[in-house]
Amino acid sequence: MLGKIGALALMVSLATPVAAVADEPAEGKADTPDTTEPVVPLDPCPDQPMGEACTRREVAAVWQMTVDPAEGLAVAGVRTREEVLSEHVYDDGSGFTPYGLWGHPYSDVVSDYDYVNEIWLAPGLHELTFFARDVAGNEATFTRTVHGPEVPSRPRKFSATERDGRTQLSWVTHGRGSGIRHYVVRVKGEKRRKLQGGDITLSPGRQKRFLLLQLDRGRHVVRIQAVNGVGKGEARSFVFRVR
């Protein structure tokens, strides 16, 4: 016999509801957070060995014509340890918007790009971190030291050649990371000349320039100075004869 107290306890236990046990998620349907970083170019000089500083350049940039929508690219930019130097928003939550028209500096070709990540540099060494973040907040980064541009080198490999009654002057200059804007050329007895463009690229950064002049016979001195986006390079004088 339970007695009155035992019977009462049994009735309370039977009346107490039992907590429902949640069903375990079906296999393959677990809510796993997205932790995959976006895959877009981040190295501004992929053709140089890892750990080596990038060669001099006025613009450090990475780009891609098309981006897979699955990357979920939201923001990309460049920063130092202290601050964000440039940033571009691709998706503010309303859908992906391509970067648009872009052309590499000193190139005449402009095209539509989904993704461009660039920074214009001042002279000196810069430790830069290129980053890309997706809509889930995952971020990919790549850090490189990059040489900024310098003033052009002194002209060299000068030559003077007679052609059809005129004198052709030629020389080579290195832009040192910034395209040559123009040359200032002075020949005694001639007007000071400012030569725009027209460079022939010999190799990355090296340009060859030609100038045709009508000069009298005898000894002449030409002074040449190159100017790029940073400033004026050191001038150099050459002596030549017209026969």
Side-chain angles (χ1 to χ4, degrees):
M1 298 296 291
L2 292 175
K4 292 183 178 180
I5 296 178
L8 181 60
L10 178 60
M11 293 174 62
V12 171
S13 65
L14 292 174
T16 302
V18 179
V21 178
D23 293 334
E24 292 187 5
E27 186 178 352
K29 294 185 178 180
D31 187 14
T32 304
D34 177 12
T35 58
T36 304
E37 299 173 351
V39 180
V40 290
L42 293 173
D43 185 357
C45 46
D47 54 340
Q48 292 184 237
M50 295 289 293
E52 181 180 297
C54 293
T55 52
R56 290 188 181 97
R57 57 196 65 199
E58 191 168 26
V59 179
V62 290
W63 58 92
Q64 189 165 295
M65 192 73 77
T66 59
V67 173
D68 186 346
E71 298 299 336
L73 182 63
V75 177
V78 184
R79 64 175 178 248
T80 62
R81 293 180 181 178
E82 295 79 20
E83 63 177 326
V84 173
L85 303 176
S86 69
E87 191 174 76
H88 186 86
V89 176
Y90 294 88
D91 190 347
D92 60 2
S94 59
F96 181 78
T97 301
Y99 184 90
L101 291 175
W102 182 76
H104 196 278
Y106 315 117
S107 171
D108 296 330
V109 179
V110 176
S111 303
D112 272 308
Y113 288 84
D114 279 359
Y115 164 75
V116 175
N117 199 350
E118 67 174 348
I119 182 70
W120 286 74
L121 301 174
L125 279 174
H126 308 268
E127 187 175 295
L128 305 174
T129 297
F130 284 71
F131 65 90
R133 192 163 54 249
D134 64 17
V135 292
N138 302 305
E139 184 176 85
T141 63
F142 190 91
T143 300
R144 273 271 200 184
T145 298
V146 183
H147 288 279
E150 304 292 341
V151 296
S153 67
R154 295 174 68 196
R156 60 191 185 90
K157 293 190 176 180
F158 175 83
S159 68
T161 309
E162 301 302 310
R163 294 186 58 185
D164 301 324
R166 294 189 295 176
T167 302
Q168 176 181 281
L169 308 181
S170 68
W171 61 91
V172 173
T173 308
H174 198 295
R176 288 181 173 171
S178 176
I180 303 296
R181 303 298 200 259
H182 62 265
Y183 295 93
V184 178
V185 182
R186 295 184 178 92
V187 179
K188 189 175 181 180
E190 293 285 315
K191 291 182 178 179
R192 175 178 179 272
R193 297 170 182 267
K194 185 175 179 180
L195 302 182
Q196 302 283 359
D199 294 330
I200 297 175
T201 300
L202 303 177
S203 65
R206 283 179 63 233
Q207 287 86 33
K208 188 169 186 177
R209 189 65 164 98
F210 297 93
L211 173 63
L212 281 174
L213 293 175
Q214 189 79 43
L215 298 173
D216 296 331
R217 293 180 181 178
R219 179 179 181 274
H220 296 272
V221 179
V222 60
R223 181 180 183 272
I224 306 170
Q225 183 179 39
V227 182
N228 66 6
V230 178
K232 298 177 180 179
E234 186 179 350
R236 188 170 187 178
S237 295
F238 301 92
V239 178
F240 63 98
R241 286 188 173 275
V242 176
R243 303 183 184 281

